[in-house]
């Protein structure tokens, strides 16, 4: 059975990825590592957990060696909106963790998954049915890190034979840990606010389309891609994946159908507005479907039903 190390395990994806991997590979074969003591303490209640600064090459290497790791999932990231507030920090963290992951994957012969993002695209990318292979000139430091990461990961595969794989995640909607500092966060925050207070003020313009995925599909994407037959992979870093595209107005209408007293208004954040306008409206994910069988299960209605139900339970409402 494969032994997997997840770095950045306390974030929005890691928090749900850990139980998903435990279910697929066994509790003892999943190690959750994170930077913060309080996060490690939380993770250790349900997983083998270790404290790790992924930019510390030596400490990171010791963990890979200690657990005889076969695959690294590098989930360390500072997201798009936070990145614009501190570009140097974003570059150092995002690229530091990636370079260490690549070099350790090479040294210890492990597979490596690092998520890319719709943030890897920019204003001059075709915005509808955005192709797998297209112009990638992002306007954010987050996007610059993601494009660099895709290129480096492909380079490590072709030059050194490192088994690097990746998907370009759109906005991820989930009910575990909150996202933080992203441009797509509104599509999660709205559910908490509507259940708490019945009102949500949105920072994204009402007519801005972005692709989204519900977390169960995102988790399946990860394990499906990492288990895919390498002979079938024409691409590696990184695959477009999506299963819905909507703008805030459309999402809020779906919520209002179910919560008639919900009210919404807009207080647009200029940085997030600019970022979201530069990203695709809808991705073409046919390469992921053809090369490794990507087949998402959730649509907008089912996601809204499930989010309202699970977050109401979580908040005791
Ligand atoms: N969810 C990310 C962000 O908004 C995009 O990958 O920054």
């Amino acid at each position: 059975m494969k032994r997997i190390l997840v770095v950045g395990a306390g974030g929005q994806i890691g928090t749900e990825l850990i139980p998903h991997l435990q279910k697929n590979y066994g509790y003892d074969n999943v190690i959750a590592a994170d930077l913060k003591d309080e996060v490690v303490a939380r993770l250790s209640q349900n997983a083998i957990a270790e404290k790790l600064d992924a930019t510390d090459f030596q400490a990171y290497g010791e963990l890979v060696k200690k657990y005889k790791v076969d695959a690294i999932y590098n989930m360390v990231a500072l997201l798009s909106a936070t990145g614009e507030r501190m570009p140097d920090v974003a570059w150092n963290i995002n690229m530091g963790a990636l370079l260490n992951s690549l070099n350790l994957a090479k040294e210890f012969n492990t597979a490596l998954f690092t998520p890319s993002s719709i943030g890897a695209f920019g204003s001059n990318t075709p915005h509808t049915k955005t192709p797998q292979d297209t112009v990638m000139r992002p306007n954010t430091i987050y996007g610059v890190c993601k494009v660099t990461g895709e290129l480096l990961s492909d380079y490590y595969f072709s030059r050194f034979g490192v088994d690097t794989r990746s998907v370009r995640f759109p906005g991820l909607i989930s009910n575990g840990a909150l996202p933080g500092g992203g441009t797509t966060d509104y599509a999660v925050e709205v559910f908490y606010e509507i259940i708490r207070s019945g009102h949500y003020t949105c920072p994204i313009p009402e007519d801005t389309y972005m692709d989204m995925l519900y977390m169960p599909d995102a988790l399946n994407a990860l394990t499906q891609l990492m288990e895919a037959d390498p002979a079938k992979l024409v691409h590696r870093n990184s695959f477009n994946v999506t299963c819905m595209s909507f703008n805030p107005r459309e999402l809020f209408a779906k919520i209002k159908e179910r919560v008639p007293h919900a009210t919404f208004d807009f207080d647009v954040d200029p940085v997030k507005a600019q970022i979201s306008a530069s990203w695709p409206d809808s991705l073409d994910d046919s390469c992921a479907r053809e090369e490794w069988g990507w087949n998402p299960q959730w649509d907008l209605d089912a996601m809204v039903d499930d989010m309202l139900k699970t977050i109401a339970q979580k908040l005791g409402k």
Side-chain angles (χ1 to χ4, degrees), residues 4-10 13-14 17 21 31 33 52-55 60 69 71-78 92-105 110-116 145-146 149-150 153 164-167 169 222 226:
I4 297 171
L5 171 64
V6 180
V7 294
I13 304 176
L17 177 61
L21 293 174
I31 295 92
L52 174 69
D53 174 355
T55 63
Y60 193 168
V69 169
I72 298 171
Y73 287 50
N74 166 30
M75 314 311 285
V76 174
L78 220 76
N92 288 337
I93 292 178
N94 295 349
M95 298 315 298
L98 175 68
L99 261 179
N100 284 347
S101 303
L102 284 165
N103 284 322
L104 290 169
T110 79
L112 174 62
F113 177 87
T114 305
S116 186
C145 292
K146 289 302 183 193
E150 291 191 16
S153 300
T164 54
R165 305 183 187 195
S166 173
V167 297
F169 276 135
L222 271 161
M226 291 310 276

Side-chain angles (χ1 to χ4, degrees), residues 24-58:
N24 284 282
Y25 299 97
Y27 181 95
D28 292 338
N29 290 319
V30 181
I31 295 92
D34 201 275
L35 177 64
K36 296 193 191 112
D37 286 319
E38 66 274 17
V39 175
V40 177
R42 168 169 64 78
L43 290 167
S44 66
Q45 291 166 7
N46 301 301
I48 301 166
E50 294 272 3
K51 183 178 161 76
L52 174 69
D53 174 355
T55 63
D56 178 341
F57 183 75
Q58 206 185 330

Side-chain angles (χ1 to χ4, degrees), residues 79-80 117-118 142 169-171 182-184 279:
L79 296 186
S80 56
S117 161
I118 49 170
Y142 177 70
F169 276 135
T183 304
T184 56
W279 288 356

